[in-house]
Amino acid sequence: MTLNRRHLLQAAAAAAPLAFVTPSRAAAAKELRLGIITPAGHSWNRAALQFGEALNKATGGRLTVTVFHSGQLGNESVMMQQMQSGALDMGWIQAAELGSRVPSVASINAPYLVRSTPAVARLVRTPAALKLLDALPRETGTVGLGWGITGMRVVFSSKDIRTPDDLKGMKLRINPTPVYRDFYQYFGAAPTPIPTPGVFDAMTNGQVDGLEADVEFSWNQRFDKVAKVMMPMNALFMPVAPLFSGRVWQTLDAKDRDLVRQLTAQALDAQINDIVTTEAGLLEKFRQTGIATRDLSNFDTRPAIQAFDKIWLPKAPQIAELRTVGAGLQA
């Protein structure tokens, strides 16, 4: 067929809308960069990847997520700075880091709020726990999207200890949050912060006498190979908060914000349920190695709670509400 001028104009008019639609769609596409300090395979990482896959599917590839694990983008303090500037879109940040910036958030790390991992799972889903995140946009320039969890933390010792009172004089590797420091100093331990990658070697060479960590991480690192005793403290846990850069959050429309919240909540629910389901099995694996395991079910925690709250309630009065809520959640 011979094309005359009219045919050419009609063809151009038909093609014009496509020429304008394609660039606008390309401009709307965005890769979200997400930083996290835990290694690949950790339950937090699996949840972050699940969130990214769901977001990619729900938006037809318009919004994608690349997860940088193992602190590839820096430690949590560095990632917080990157989110504040908008250089990093998302970060999954531990409550320890957030609590060092916002005392009210540190209340979630207070000891003996609950005494079991199933109770931890219920606590972090309560309004009292979730509203702690409300201060983050103002104080840190980030938006908190919920809580993920670890199980209750366990002390591993190269010495024969039977109760927390036996921690007196021990060099104990801890997470370097002030809440943990004050808690373990009450029992007379010498809190010793050591970067996570060096913990196993620190126990091996006697740099520390013991360490405290959650069960999932402890089994992955096989701390039973460098310790004589495992003492579940039934006191502390370390939640993680998926955060969104406030600067980047403002560039998303309302539908995308709602979608991010919804899919993050789904990923967190799966992560929390996974920890509750698998922790009992991991504890049994530890027992089967032959490591001595201490039972603290009859240990009187009241003096430790009173001493801790004397220091922390003036700084983080939210602890009182969390204790009340936690008391009704015990498994």
Side-chain angles (χ1 to χ4, degrees):
M1 179 180 70
T2 302
L3 292 177
N4 57 28
R5 187 171 181 275
R6 181 170 59 85
H7 290 141
L8 290 172
L9 290 173
Q10 288 175 340
L18 295 177
F20 286 102
V21 170
T22 302
S24 66
R25 286 179 177 170
K30 181 171 179 59
E31 175 197 16
L32 300 173
R33 300 168 71 249
L34 187 158
I36 191 168
I37 65 165
T38 44
H42 190 278
S43 65
W44 293 353
N45 296 63
R46 295 196 302 271
L49 289 170
Q50 177 186 334
F51 161 73
E53 291 168 0
L55 186 64
N56 181 20
K57 182 178 179 180
T59 63
R62 180 172 54 82
L63 295 178
T64 59
V65 179
T66 300
V67 176
F68 295 86
H69 60 79
S70 306
Q72 294 177 67
L73 302 181
N75 61 27
E76 290 186 320
S77 178
V78 169
M79 288 193 288
M80 287 295 294
Q81 294 172 4
Q82 292 172 343
M83 282 189 285
Q84 288 169 340
S85 70
L88 178 63
D89 304 296
M90 298 186 69
W92 286 42
I93 306 296
Q94 294 179 96
E97 174 65 27
L98 298 176
S100 69
R101 298 165 181 267
V102 187
S104 61
V105 178
S107 61
I108 196 72
N109 286 132
Y112 302 117
L113 297 178
V114 291
R115 313 299 171 90
S116 71
T117 297
V120 169
R122 292 190 285 272
L123 178 66
V124 297
R125 289 161 163 153
T126 64
L130 292 172
K131 73 181 181 183
L132 297 176
L133 301 171
D134 291 348
L136 295 183
R138 179 181 67 255
E139 300 292 339
T140 69
T142 64
V143 177
L145 301 175
W147 292 113
I149 67 168
T150 60
M152 301 296 281
R153 296 178 81 85
V154 175
V155 167
F156 289 83
S157 173
S158 61
K159 299 181 177 181
D160 185 16
I161 59 174
R162 296 187 176 274
T163 76
D165 292 329
D166 295 328
L167 298 175
K168 186 174 182 178
M170 284 181 55
K171 291 182 293 182
L172 184 69
R173 186 272 177 180
I174 68 165
N175 183 294
T177 177
V179 169
Y180 282 24
R181 178 201 64 207
D182 291 344
F183 175 69
Y184 284 110
Q185 282 182 338
Y186 166 79
F187 290 110
T192 308
I194 293 174
T196 299
V199 176
F200 189 96
D201 289 343
M203 280 286 285
T204 302
N205 62 30
Q207 185 178 353
V208 292
D209 304 309
L211 62 92
E212 61 87 41
D214 65 271
V215 173
E216 179 189 15
F217 179 74
S218 298
W219 178 255
N220 291 339
Q221 297 293 305
R222 293 306 304 269
F223 289 144
D224 57 292
K225 295 183 178 296
V226 291
K228 295 180 180 178
V229 175
M230 178 177 76
M231 187 165 67
M233 295 292 288
N234 304 323
L236 301 166
F237 66 96
M238 180 59 71
V240 63
L243 304 183
F244 216 103
S245 164
R247 289 178 179 269
V248 180
W249 188 254
Q250 294 301 320
T251 68
L252 301 181
D253 64 31
K255 289 183 178 180
D256 282 344
R257 293 181 195 175
D258 289 343
L259 183 62
V260 167
R261 287 189 182 277
Q262 174 190 339
L263 298 180
T264 301
Q266 291 176 4
L268 292 176
D269 279 344
Q271 188 272 331
I272 291 169
N273 293 338
D274 177 58
I275 291 294
V276 172
T277 301
T278 61
E279 185 180 79
L282 292 178
L283 286 170
E284 182 57 31
K285 286 183 177 181
F286 272 123
R287 295 186 184 99
Q288 290 176 1
T289 69
I291 190 171
T293 304
R294 303 306 183 207
D295 180 2
L296 300 184
S297 57
N298 294 321
F299 183 73
D300 185 3
T301 63
R302 289 173 296 180
I305 293 172
Q306 291 170 1
F308 179 87
D309 285 359
K310 184 177 181 180
I311 297 172
W312 274 92
L313 274 176
K315 294 185 284 188
Q318 295 83 356
I319 291 172
E321 181 181 7
L322 291 175
R323 289 206 186 285
T324 300
V325 172
L329 300 176
Q330 300 300 334

